[in-house]
Amino acid sequence: MYRAEIVPRDAPAPLQDAAVARRRRLDADRRDRVLDPKWRTIGVDVAALDEQVRAKAAARREAQERDAEFDAYARSAHAALEHLDRQTSAARRHRDQVTDHFRLTVQRR
């Protein structure tokens, strides 16, 4: 950026015209620099940017793989817990049946 010139309103016309012309020239130069592809790419390290993109993609892939592993573990843990619940319910049901049979056959009054 360039320094802003403050020209008093009561300054002579040639001084004001010169300040306006200087600002217009600087704006035109700046516009040419901004729109020039060579100037735009100066300072842009394409290899570093490509490496950043690759690293970000690798991190995203690793996160997806980690999430998939956690999901698989959670599913297997859920299946194991459901199996244990079914076994516990079956054992309880069997115990209750044996207790009922004992009460009906042995504990008759």
Side-chain angles (χ1 to χ4, degrees), residues 3 11 16 21 23-24 29 32 34 42 45 54 57 71-72 81 83 100 103 107:
R3 286 189 330 221
Q16 287 182 349
R23 278 194 297 258
R24 285 184 182 155
D29 290 345
D32 291 342
V34 167
I42 289 179
D45 189 0
R54 277 194 296 277
D71 287 344
L81 288 174
H83 180 69
D100 288 344
R103 286 180 183 156
Q107 286 186 339

PDB file of all heavy atoms in Angstrom, residues 3 11 16 21 23-24 29 32 34 42 45 54 57 71-72 81 83 100 103 107:
ATOM      1  N   ARG A   3       1.252   5.408   0.940  1.00  0.00           N
ATOM      2  CA  ARG A   3       0.797   6.363   1.950  1.00  0.00           C
ATOM      3  C   ARG A   3      -0.292   7.232   1.363  1.00  0.00           C
ATOM      4  O   ARG A   3      -0.207   7.672   0.218  1.00  0.00           O
ATOM      5  CB  ARG A   3       1.942   7.251   2.404  1.00  0.00           C
ATOM      6  CG  ARG A   3       2.914   6.539   3.287  1.00  0.00           C
ATOM      7  CD  ARG A   3       3.887   7.513   3.886  1.00  0.00           C
ATOM      8  NE  ARG A   3       4.123   8.661   3.007  1.00  0.00           N
ATOM      9  CZ  ARG A   3       5.295   9.211   2.811  1.00  0.00           C
ATOM     10  NH1 ARG A   3       6.352   8.734   3.416  1.00  0.00           N
ATOM     11  NH2 ARG A   3       5.437  10.250   2.018  1.00  0.00           N
ATOM     12  N   ALA A  11      -5.539  24.074  -1.127  1.00  0.00           N
ATOM     13  CA  ALA A  11      -4.254  24.000  -1.824  1.00  0.00           C
ATOM     14  C   ALA A  11      -4.464  24.413  -3.276  1.00  0.00           C
ATOM     15  O   ALA A  11      -5.557  24.295  -3.820  1.00  0.00           O
ATOM     16  CB  ALA A  11      -3.717  22.587  -1.754  1.00  0.00           C
ATOM     17  N   GLN A  16      -3.283  19.806  -6.164  1.00  0.00           N
ATOM     18  CA  GLN A  16      -4.357  18.805  -6.036  1.00  0.00           C
ATOM     19  C   GLN A  16      -4.381  17.897  -7.256  1.00  0.00           C
ATOM     20  O   GLN A  16      -4.530  16.680  -7.128  1.00  0.00           O
ATOM     21  CB  GLN A  16      -5.710  19.500  -5.863  1.00  0.00           C
ATOM     22  CG  GLN A  16      -5.914  20.123  -4.514  1.00  0.00           C
ATOM     23  CD  GLN A  16      -7.294  20.762  -4.390  1.00  0.00           C
ATOM     24  OE1 GLN A  16      -8.016  20.911  -5.361  1.00  0.00           O
ATOM     25  NE2 GLN A  16      -7.635  21.140  -3.164  1.00  0.00           N
ATOM     26  N   ALA A  21      -3.407  12.688  -9.837  1.00  0.00           N
ATOM     27  CA  ALA A  21      -2.730  11.955 -10.912  1.00  0.00           C
ATOM     28  C   ALA A  21      -1.787  10.905 -10.330  1.00  0.00           C
ATOM     29  O   ALA A  21      -1.708   9.775 -10.836  1.00  0.00           O
ATOM     30  CB  ALA A  21      -1.965  12.927 -11.807  1.00  0.00           C
ATOM     31  N   ARG A  23      -2.064   9.380  -7.405  1.00  0.00           N
ATOM     32  CA  ARG A  23      -2.882   8.280  -6.864  1.00  0.00           C
ATOM     33  C   ARG A  23      -3.412   7.403  -7.987  1.00  0.00           C
ATOM     34  O   ARG A  23      -3.428   6.167  -7.869  1.00  0.00           O
ATOM     35  CB  ARG A  23      -4.034   8.839  -6.034  1.00  0.00           C
ATOM     36  CG  ARG A  23      -3.618   9.191  -4.610  1.00  0.00           C
ATOM     37  CD  ARG A  23      -4.831   9.417  -3.741  1.00  0.00           C
ATOM     38  NE  ARG A  23      -5.615  10.548  -4.220  1.00  0.00           N
ATOM     39  CZ  ARG A  23      -5.598  11.768  -3.676  1.00  0.00           C
ATOM     40  NH1 ARG A  23      -4.855  11.999  -2.622  1.00  0.00           N
ATOM     41  NH2 ARG A  23      -6.342  12.739  -4.165  1.00  0.00           N
ATOM     42  N   ARG A  24      -3.859   8.000  -9.068  1.00  0.00           N
ATOM     43  CA  ARG A  24      -4.368   7.212 -10.200  1.00  0.00           C
ATOM     44  C   ARG A  24      -3.258   6.344 -10.796  1.00  0.00           C
ATOM     45  O   ARG A  24      -3.485   5.182 -11.152  1.00  0.00           O
ATOM     46  CB  ARG A  24      -4.956   8.131 -11.257  1.00  0.00           C
ATOM     47  CG  ARG A  24      -6.288   8.689 -10.855  1.00  0.00           C
ATOM     48  CD  ARG A  24      -6.901   9.522 -11.944  1.00  0.00           C
ATOM     49  NE  ARG A  24      -8.176  10.063 -11.477  1.00  0.00           N
ATOM     50  CZ  ARG A  24      -8.729  11.158 -11.933  1.00  0.00           C
ATOM     51  NH1 ARG A  24      -8.131  11.872 -12.891  1.00  0.00           N
ATOM     52  NH2 ARG A  24      -9.868  11.575 -11.474  1.00  0.00           N
ATOM     53  N   ASP A  29      -0.778   1.064 -11.453  1.00  0.00           N
ATOM     54  CA  ASP A  29       0.380   0.180 -11.274  1.00  0.00           C
ATOM     55  C   ASP A  29       0.018  -1.016 -10.376  1.00  0.00           C
ATOM     56  O   ASP A  29       0.375  -2.158 -10.668  1.00  0.00           O
ATOM     57  CB  ASP A  29       1.562   0.930 -10.663  1.00  0.00           C
ATOM     58  CG  ASP A  29       2.171   1.937 -11.623  1.00  0.00           C
ATOM     59  OD1 ASP A  29       1.880   1.856 -12.838  1.00  0.00           O
ATOM     60  OD2 ASP A  29       2.922   2.815 -11.143  1.00  0.00           O
ATOM     61  N   ASP A  32      -2.175  -3.420 -12.260  1.00  0.00           N
ATOM     62  CA  ASP A  32      -1.371  -4.211 -13.199  1.00  0.00           C
ATOM     63  C   ASP A  32      -0.597  -5.305 -12.473  1.00  0.00           C
ATOM     64  O   ASP A  32      -0.493  -6.432 -12.963  1.00  0.00           O
ATOM     65  CB  ASP A  32      -0.403  -3.313 -13.970  1.00  0.00           C
ATOM     66  CG  ASP A  32      -1.131  -2.395 -14.947  1.00  0.00           C
ATOM     67  OD1 ASP A  32      -2.306  -2.683 -15.280  1.00  0.00           O
ATOM     68  OD2 ASP A  32      -0.530  -1.379 -15.356  1.00  0.00           O
ATOM     69  N   VAL A  34      -1.432  -6.744  -9.604  1.00  0.00           N
ATOM     70  CA  VAL A  34      -2.365  -7.742  -9.077  1.00  0.00           C
ATOM     71  C   VAL A  34      -2.863  -8.651 -10.189  1.00  0.00           C
ATOM     72  O   VAL A  34      -3.004  -9.865 -10.012  1.00  0.00           O
ATOM     73  CB  VAL A  34      -3.548  -7.049  -8.361  1.00  0.00           C
ATOM     74  CG1 VAL A  34      -4.669  -8.029  -8.079  1.00  0.00           C
ATOM     75  CG2 VAL A  34      -3.075  -6.406  -7.072  1.00  0.00           C
ATOM     76  N   ILE A  42       4.515 -15.026  -7.686  1.00  0.00           N
ATOM     77  CA  ILE A  42       5.747 -14.843  -6.919  1.00  0.00           C
ATOM     78  C   ILE A  42       5.415 -15.034  -5.436  1.00  0.00           C
ATOM     79  O   ILE A  42       4.468 -14.466  -4.916  1.00  0.00           O
ATOM     80  CB  ILE A  42       6.356 -13.451  -7.169  1.00  0.00           C
ATOM     81  CG1 ILE A  42       6.932 -13.392  -8.567  1.00  0.00           C
ATOM     82  CG2 ILE A  42       7.425 -13.131  -6.131  1.00  0.00           C
ATOM     83  CD1 ILE A  42       7.538 -12.062  -8.943  1.00  0.00           C
ATOM     84  N   ASP A  45       4.579 -21.073  -3.248  1.00  0.00           N
ATOM     85  CA  ASP A  45       5.377 -22.291  -3.349  1.00  0.00           C
ATOM     86  C   ASP A  45       4.437 -23.441  -3.669  1.00  0.00           C
ATOM     87  O   ASP A  45       3.786 -24.008  -2.792  1.00  0.00           O
ATOM     88  CB  ASP A  45       6.121 -22.532  -2.032  1.00  0.00           C
ATOM     89  CG  ASP A  45       7.119 -23.656  -2.142  1.00  0.00           C
ATOM     90  OD1 ASP A  45       7.238 -24.241  -3.238  1.00  0.00           O
ATOM     91  OD2 ASP A  45       7.781 -23.942  -1.131  1.00  0.00           O
ATOM     92  N   ARG A  54      -1.573 -32.954   0.108  1.00  0.00           N
ATOM     93  CA  ARG A  54      -1.364 -34.396   0.311  1.00  0.00           C
ATOM     94  C   ARG A  54      -1.418 -34.757   1.789  1.00  0.00           C
ATOM     95  O   ARG A  54      -2.013 -35.757   2.177  1.00  0.00           O
ATOM     96  CB  ARG A  54      -0.019 -34.814  -0.284  1.00  0.00           C
ATOM     97  CG  ARG A  54      -0.068 -35.081  -1.773  1.00  0.00           C
ATOM     98  CD  ARG A  54       1.189 -35.808  -2.251  1.00  0.00           C
ATOM     99  NE  ARG A  54       2.408 -35.017  -2.097  1.00  0.00           N
ATOM    100  CZ  ARG A  54       2.823 -34.101  -2.951  1.00  0.00           C
ATOM    101  NH1 ARG A  54       2.121 -33.837  -4.024  1.00  0.00           N
ATOM    102  NH2 ARG A  54       3.936 -33.432  -2.738  1.00  0.00           N
ATOM    103  N   ALA A  57      -5.005 -34.666   2.970  1.00  0.00           N
ATOM    104  CA  ALA A  57      -5.745 -35.823   2.467  1.00  0.00           C
ATOM    105  C   ALA A  57      -5.342 -37.082   3.239  1.00  0.00           C
ATOM    106  O   ALA A  57      -6.195 -37.912   3.588  1.00  0.00           O
ATOM    107  CB  ALA A  57      -5.493 -36.006   0.975  1.00  0.00           C
ATOM    108  N   ASP A  71     -15.727 -47.970  14.783  1.00  0.00           N
ATOM    109  CA  ASP A  71     -17.066 -48.469  14.497  1.00  0.00           C
ATOM    110  C   ASP A  71     -17.097 -49.991  14.536  1.00  0.00           C
ATOM    111  O   ASP A  71     -18.030 -50.589  15.097  1.00  0.00           O
ATOM    112  CB  ASP A  71     -17.552 -47.975  13.127  1.00  0.00           C
ATOM    113  CG  ASP A  71     -17.900 -46.500  13.134  1.00  0.00           C
ATOM    114  OD1 ASP A  71     -18.068 -45.933  14.239  1.00  0.00           O
ATOM    115  OD2 ASP A  71     -18.006 -45.914  12.037  1.00  0.00           O
ATOM    116  N   ALA A  72     -16.082 -50.621  13.922  1.00  0.00           N
ATOM    117  CA  ALA A  72     -16.029 -52.087  13.922  1.00  0.00           C
ATOM    118  C   ALA A  72     -15.906 -52.608  15.353  1.00  0.00           C
ATOM    119  O   ALA A  72     -16.590 -53.584  15.725  1.00  0.00           O
ATOM    120  CB  ALA A  72     -14.851 -52.565  13.074  1.00  0.00           C
ATOM    121  N   LEU A  81     -22.052 -57.990  23.850  1.00  0.00           N
ATOM    122  CA  LEU A  81     -22.944 -57.668  24.970  1.00  0.00           C
ATOM    123  C   LEU A  81     -24.347 -58.222  24.749  1.00  0.00           C
ATOM    124  O   LEU A  81     -24.979 -58.721  25.695  1.00  0.00           O
ATOM    125  CB  LEU A  81     -23.005 -56.148  25.175  1.00  0.00           C
ATOM    126  CG  LEU A  81     -21.746 -55.527  25.760  1.00  0.00           C
ATOM    127  CD1 LEU A  81     -21.862 -54.013  25.772  1.00  0.00           C
ATOM    128  CD2 LEU A  81     -21.498 -56.055  27.161  1.00  0.00           C
ATOM    129  N   HIS A  83     -25.019 -60.902  23.035  1.00  0.00           N
ATOM    130  CA  HIS A  83     -24.886 -62.342  23.250  1.00  0.00           C
ATOM    131  C   HIS A  83     -24.887 -62.660  24.751  1.00  0.00           C
ATOM    132  O   HIS A  83     -25.565 -63.602  25.200  1.00  0.00           O
ATOM    133  CB  HIS A  83     -23.607 -62.845  22.588  1.00  0.00           C
ATOM    134  CG  HIS A  83     -23.385 -64.305  22.742  1.00  0.00           C
ATOM    135  ND1 HIS A  83     -24.172 -65.250  22.118  1.00  0.00           N
ATOM    136  CD2 HIS A  83     -22.474 -64.994  23.468  1.00  0.00           C
ATOM    137  CE1 HIS A  83     -23.756 -66.453  22.453  1.00  0.00           C
ATOM    138  NE2 HIS A  83     -22.714 -66.318  23.272  1.00  0.00           N
ATOM    139  N   ASP A 100     -39.378 -73.511  39.586  1.00  0.00           N
ATOM    140  CA  ASP A 100     -40.825 -73.794  39.526  1.00  0.00           C
ATOM    141  C   ASP A 100     -41.089 -75.289  39.547  1.00  0.00           C
ATOM    142  O   ASP A 100     -42.007 -75.775  40.238  1.00  0.00           O
ATOM    143  CB  ASP A 100     -41.444 -73.161  38.272  1.00  0.00           C
ATOM    144  CG  ASP A 100     -41.534 -71.662  38.376  1.00  0.00           C
ATOM    145  OD1 ASP A 100     -41.418 -71.127  39.507  1.00  0.00           O
ATOM    146  OD2 ASP A 100     -41.696 -70.999  37.322  1.00  0.00           O
ATOM    147  N   ARG A 103     -40.556 -76.586  43.039  1.00  0.00           N
ATOM    148  CA  ARG A 103     -41.648 -76.192  43.915  1.00  0.00           C
ATOM    149  C   ARG A 103     -42.891 -77.044  43.662  1.00  0.00           C
ATOM    150  O   ARG A 103     -43.617 -77.391  44.588  1.00  0.00           O
ATOM    151  CB  ARG A 103     -41.983 -74.718  43.724  1.00  0.00           C
ATOM    152  CG  ARG A 103     -40.960 -73.797  44.330  1.00  0.00           C
ATOM    153  CD  ARG A 103     -41.315 -72.343  44.121  1.00  0.00           C
ATOM    154  NE  ARG A 103     -40.274 -71.465  44.649  1.00  0.00           N
ATOM    155  CZ  ARG A 103     -40.051 -70.246  44.265  1.00  0.00           C
ATOM    156  NH1 ARG A 103     -40.804 -69.701  43.320  1.00  0.00           N
ATOM    157  NH2 ARG A 103     -39.084 -69.546  44.803  1.00  0.00           N
ATOM    158  N   GLN A 107     -41.872 -79.576  46.843  1.00  0.00           N
ATOM    159  CA  GLN A 107     -42.384 -78.794  47.959  1.00  0.00           C
ATOM    160  C   GLN A 107     -43.894 -78.840  48.050  1.00  0.00           C
ATOM    161  O   GLN A 107     -44.525 -77.910  48.480  1.00  0.00           O
ATOM    162  CB  GLN A 107     -41.939 -77.324  47.815  1.00  0.00           C
ATOM    163  CG  GLN A 107     -40.478 -77.099  48.133  1.00  0.00           C
ATOM    164  CD  GLN A 107     -40.139 -75.622  48.121  1.00  0.00           C
ATOM    165  OE1 GLN A 107     -40.843 -74.820  47.532  1.00  0.00           O
ATOM    166  NE2 GLN A 107     -39.057 -75.274  48.785  1.00  0.00           N
TER     167      GLN A 107
END
